[in-house]
Every structure is written in structure tokens, then in C-alpha cells.
Amino acid sequence: QMSEAFNNSTIFVLPSYGEGLPKVLLEAASTGLPLITTDVPGCRDCIENEKNGKLIKARNFNELKDAMESFIYTEANTMFEYSKESSFIINNKFSLDVIAEKYISLIE
């Protein structure tokens, strides 16, 4: 049901205090959703600020509100670029091929 939720969304927001590497951010970005998430380890690995979304300070309600409001008023072309960049970043950093290559190089 997550793919249906992603397909019915225009952005993905995860205001976390701390994570490992959030699978849900990877999944959301891989479907092309622009992201808003906190600048904490794990979350920040899925985003390039102002390229595929916005990083905000953890526990900062005003920054979260401002980021969400800014996406409401962002031009469609910019949101489309964020969307394309989300898919690109995740595919180039976290695809199975990329991860498998890293594991193989560690083993060798």
C-alpha cells in the first residue's frame, strides 16, 4: 500500500530526531517525491538540500512549517526538477547495483 500512498502524494515529509538510514525516505525518493526531512544522520544521506528537497533542523517546528509552506508555493517546474533529482540521487547512491559493488569491493 506504500506505493499507492507515494503515488497519491506530491512531497514526502519525515521530521525525525534520529534514524539509521530510513527505508521510507529511500522508497519515497525512488518514486520521485521531493523530500523534507531533518538534518540528522541517516536522513541527510537521502537528500541534497535544495536539489531534491529541504533539510531542516531537528525539533524545529517553525523551520518544518516554513519548508512545507515553501513547497506549496514553489513553481511546478522546480518541483518537477526536485522530483527528477530525487530518483536520480537514490538510484546513483542506493541502487542494488551500487550497493553490491560496494560490498564486493569491501570483500576484495
Side-chain angles (χ1 to χ4, degrees):
Q1 295 172 348
M2 289 304 292
S3 62
E4 184 179 336
F6 294 142
N7 289 331
N8 290 325
S9 302
T10 55
I11 64 169
F12 187 81
V13 181
L14 181 66
S16 178
Y17 298 151
E19 298 282 337
L21 180 61
K23 184 178 178 186
V24 70
L25 277 180
L26 296 173
E27 291 171 338
S30 72
T31 65
L33 287 175
L35 308 174
I36 296 174
T37 192
T38 45
D39 190 6
V40 297
C43 292
R44 75 172 65 109
D45 297 322
C46 302
I47 191 167
E48 291 183 22
N49 198 35
E50 302 295 335
K51 283 190 148 197
N52 70 318
K54 292 184 183 267
L55 280 173
I56 60 169
K57 292 179 188 144
R59 304 176 199 268
N60 189 320
F61 172 77
N62 287 326
E63 216 173 296
L64 174 60
K65 177 185 74 71
D66 291 346
M68 292 170 65
E69 285 178 349
S70 75
F71 271 24
I72 291 170
Y73 299 111
T74 298
E75 291 185 18
N77 289 342
T78 301
M79 293 302 286
F80 181 71
E81 290 302 317
Y82 277 16
S83 177
K84 285 191 326 185
E85 196 66 26
S86 270
S87 296
F88 179 79
I89 289 167
I90 298 309
N91 287 329
N92 285 302
K93 286 177 73 173
F94 300 104
S95 72
L96 289 177
D97 291 337
V98 170
I99 299 300
E101 277 184 42
K102 288 181 181 181
Y103 274 120
I104 290 169
S105 69
L106 286 172
I107 293 168
E108 296 175 336

